[in-house]
Amino acid sequence: MDVRSLAFRTDLALLRWGGSQIEDHGSYLVVRTPGNPTFHWGNFTLLARPPAPADMDELLAASDARFPDSRHRTFGVDGVHDQSADLAPLVRAGLALNRGAVMTAQAVHEPPRPDRTAQYRPLVTDDDWAQRVALAVACNDEISPPEYLVFAHRKAAYERGLVEAGHGAWWGAFVDGRLASAMGLFRASPGLARFQSVQTHPDLRGRGLAGTLVHRVSQYGFAELDAGTLVMVADPDYSAIRVYRSVGFTDSEHQSQVEQFDRYA
């Protein structure tokens, strides 16, 4: 399957680096991450095109058969345009639409209000990565804390593995020794690097930390990862997208996904 979406191409590249299994069935891809089975976007089906309404039951049954132990259903749809209307049948079947704004930058500049107080550096120590898990838990409001903590530890191990394999780095903004904001940037292919999981602690938002960190990490990507283009996927309806635009990222494509957190609910 020839994937057109810049977002999904970079997603798949990083999943491969992290050890995920990707099966090509021609009109769809099946992605599995055995080390983290509750990772929604590490265990999903990527469709070449939106499904026809008549195919809904077969599509859902096939997904359940592929992931028999999973409580979630996740589908990506390849393409570069907003496909919300075409995915309405899946929404009516109980899945939630997840639209992404695919943003790119070939150069960046400081945000309007850069922060000069935090320490900006890559995560290195065991304590850094433990704080990475704690930050992810503090930013999560969708899954119960005990269940999410298991996922967060697995996800951090995957991220640290990418770093230690030389594919990129996970950076943080530290305020008084506390990890306040964090994000990853990894080489997806020659000249192309992808941001991952931009998060800022709820108690420390609005201080310019994320914008300053995006700027610093972007400079790292251009200089150390030999990237000519940086890729960021953001929620078009969330205020953080203004932060990315403020340092030079522009909207390039749309990413279309649908998901159901608990298929038994």
Side-chain angles (χ1 to χ4, degrees):
M1 177 174 155
D2 185 16
V3 179
R4 295 173 293 150
S5 164
L6 182 60
F8 281 121
R9 289 207 314 270
T10 51
D11 279 336
L12 294 170
L14 268 58
L15 287 165
R16 287 191 182 96
W17 292 139
S20 297
Q21 303 164 359
I22 303 173
E23 303 170 1
D24 189 342
H25 295 268
S27 61
Y28 63 93
L29 301 178
V30 176
V31 181
R32 292 186 175 88
T33 304
N36 197 353
T38 61
F39 179 16
H40 290 187
W41 294 106
N43 299 275
F44 71 101
T45 303
L46 177 61
L47 307 173
R49 60 189 61 82
D55 296 334
M56 290 299 103
D57 290 344
E58 181 180 351
L59 181 70
L60 297 176
S63 176
D64 294 346
R66 290 185 201 112
F67 304 102
D69 299 323
S70 174
R71 297 187 66 87
H72 71 266
R73 290 166 168 160
T74 39
F75 299 92
V77 183
D78 189 27
V80 299
H81 304 296
D82 187 350
Q83 302 183 81
S84 301
D86 293 327
L87 294 175
L90 278 171
V91 174
R92 288 194 292 271
L95 285 81
L97 178 66
N98 184 358
R99 298 183 306 124
V102 184
M103 312 183 77
T104 56
Q106 287 78 42
V108 294
H109 51 77
E110 281 195 324
R113 295 186 303 108
D115 170 76
R116 307 294 189 196
T117 62
Q119 179 189 23
Y120 296 87
R121 62 171 177 82
L123 306 192
V124 177
T125 68
D126 290 344
D127 180 66
D128 290 344
W129 285 99
Q131 290 200 57
R132 159 78 186 113
V133 172
L135 177 62
V137 172
C139 292
N140 170 68
D141 60 2
E142 295 179 337
I143 307 173
S144 64
E147 182 181 353
Y148 188 81
L149 185 60
V150 173
F151 164 80
H153 275 290
R154 290 171 174 168
K155 186 71 159 44
Y158 153 79
E159 295 160 353
R160 192 172 186 176
L162 290 178
V163 172
E164 293 175 349
H167 299 300
W170 207 274
W171 281 66
F174 291 81
V175 176
D176 298 326
R178 175 189 181 190
L179 182 62
S181 185
M183 60 194 68
L185 183 66
F186 296 99
R187 187 184 295 108
S189 62
L192 194 65
R194 171 70 185 270
F195 273 88
Q196 294 280 279
S197 301
V198 179
Q199 294 178 319
T200 301
H201 196 284
D203 295 341
L204 296 169
R205 291 172 183 167
R207 298 176 45 165
L209 295 169
T212 306
L213 187 57
V214 169
H215 176 242
R216 296 283 186 93
V217 178
S218 295
Q219 290 179 312
Y220 155 79
F222 292 131
E224 302 297 328
L225 299 182
D226 296 323
T229 298
L230 307 178
V231 182
M232 171 92 70
V233 180
D235 183 342
D237 300 318
Y238 188 54
S239 59
I241 197 170
R242 296 196 298 268
V243 173
Y244 314 139
R245 289 172 178 151
S246 76
V247 299
F249 281 80
T250 58
D251 297 51
S252 298
E253 298 179 1
H254 294 270
Q255 185 179 37
S256 300
Q257 301 170 313
V258 288
E259 56 190 338
Q260 185 175 27
F261 294 136
D262 189 347
R263 76 191 201 204
Y264 301 112

